[in-house]
Amino acid sequence: MSMTAAGDYTIASLDTGLRALRLFLTHDTLTVSEAAERLSVGRSTAHRVLSTLESRGFAIRDTSGRGYAAGPELVRLGRPAGFGPAARDRLRPVLDDAVARTGETVHSVALIGDQVVVTDGRESGHPVRVALRLGWTGPAHAEAGGKLLLSRMTADQVCALYPREELEPLTPRTLTSRTALLDELALIRRRGHAVGRGESVTGMTAVAVSLGGSSWRDRLALVAAAPADRSDEAATAERAALLEESAALAVPAHPG
């Protein structure tokens, strides 16, 4: 088996296992024969790989008993933070406090690749307000919460997420280059909060602070979004400080 210089350190069995995990991204179930064919290995090797994944919870036998499906550990890894009853219970007092303090629509967001997803929130009582859209996803580089979460990553990690210099514009104010995004993330790290002014939706201003988390898997951002006419520099800075106070109420997520 020939390898490139960079591949001299490849552990063949680990490589095969990782490639098997990737198959579950595109297949609901896999038989041993299908895995062997797609991995270009023998049936015995495919069986050992799938059995090992099963023993660690990354695969399970499907109900027919003839194949394997994604296991609970793989599903857990693919699920962003902030979903599920436990996460909602943990964040309930934070969101209740944040909407009371700011008077604006607040929500929590998680990062999935280069996208953010709204995991929970509370809507403002103002007659004119930003609507809460639970489960909504959008480009992280155009969202205050997305930029906050990206700022918690290293520049190399951000570049891996954005291999091209050009970024998709949503409005005339969206950041359209990776260089501009990296500069913005450096500013967010120094300032401690992120601001988005009409970058995803014209006429909306959002500010985001961190909700903690020890790794990319469990980090969340707390966001307050309001119409631009209620969001001058002073109001936005005050909103960020209020969100920080609310975020301090968050109970750390239980490990595992």
Side-chain angles (χ1 to χ4, degrees):
M1 178 178 178
S2 62
M3 295 184 178
T4 63
D8 289 343
Y9 297 98
T10 300
I11 300 172
S13 59
L14 176 58
D15 181 68
T16 302
L18 293 173
R19 290 191 294 121
L21 285 177
R22 287 181 61 88
L23 290 177
F24 287 116
L25 298 177
T26 53
H27 296 75
D28 287 333
T29 60
L30 280 170
T31 65
V32 172
S33 296
E34 289 170 336
E37 179 182 354
R38 286 169 170 77
L39 297 172
S40 300
V41 297
R43 279 179 52 87
S44 62
T45 298
H47 183 264
R48 288 198 303 273
V49 168
L50 292 171
S51 295
T52 301
L53 294 178
E54 181 186 18
S55 71
R56 292 295 184 180
F58 290 96
I60 57 173
R61 298 291 182 98
D62 68 13
T63 53
S64 71
R66 295 190 299 270
Y68 293 80
E73 287 298 312
L74 187 56
V75 172
R76 188 177 68 85
L77 283 176
R79 184 182 65 220
F83 287 102
R88 286 180 178 272
D89 288 345
R90 184 173 69 87
L91 295 179
R92 182 177 293 113
V94 175
L95 294 168
D96 290 344
D97 188 76
V99 72
R101 286 180 188 272
T102 66
E104 302 295 350
T105 296
V106 298
H107 55 268
S108 55
V109 299
L111 187 66
I112 310 177
D114 62 357
Q115 302 286 303
V116 287
V117 58
V118 176
T119 64
D120 203 355
R122 304 288 185 271
E123 197 162 282
S124 167
H126 284 294
V128 179
R129 60 185 179 270
V130 173
L132 176 64
R133 295 183 288 175
L134 294 179
W136 178 87
T137 61
H141 72 276
E143 299 289 332
K147 293 188 296 182
L148 189 285
L149 292 172
L150 289 173
S151 76
R152 301 288 305 278
M153 305 172 74
T154 67
D156 286 342
Q157 288 174 319
V158 173
C159 289
L161 279 179
Y162 297 94
R164 299 180 58 186
E165 173 67 11
E166 300 79 16
L167 302 179
E168 175 190 6
L170 272 65
T171 75
R173 303 196 69 167
T174 307
L175 297 175
T176 57
S177 74
R178 188 176 65 181
T179 299
L181 176 62
L182 291 171
D183 289 344
E184 176 82 358
L185 299 183
L187 172 62
I188 292 168
R189 293 184 191 103
R190 294 193 299 270
R191 186 172 56 192
H193 65 269
V195 176
R197 296 187 178 278
E199 294 171 39
S200 62
V201 177
T202 300
M204 182 183 81
T205 296
V207 59
V209 302
S210 174
L211 266 176
S214 59
S215 73
W216 63 270
R217 276 280 300 121
D218 60 1
R219 287 178 189 141
L220 293 168
L222 178 63
V223 184
D229 61 5
R230 291 203 297 268
S231 304
D232 59 17
E233 293 288 343
T236 301
E238 180 183 11
R239 213 167 281 154
L242 294 173
L243 287 180
E244 291 281 8
E245 294 177 14
S246 297
L249 300 175
V251 176
H254 190 278

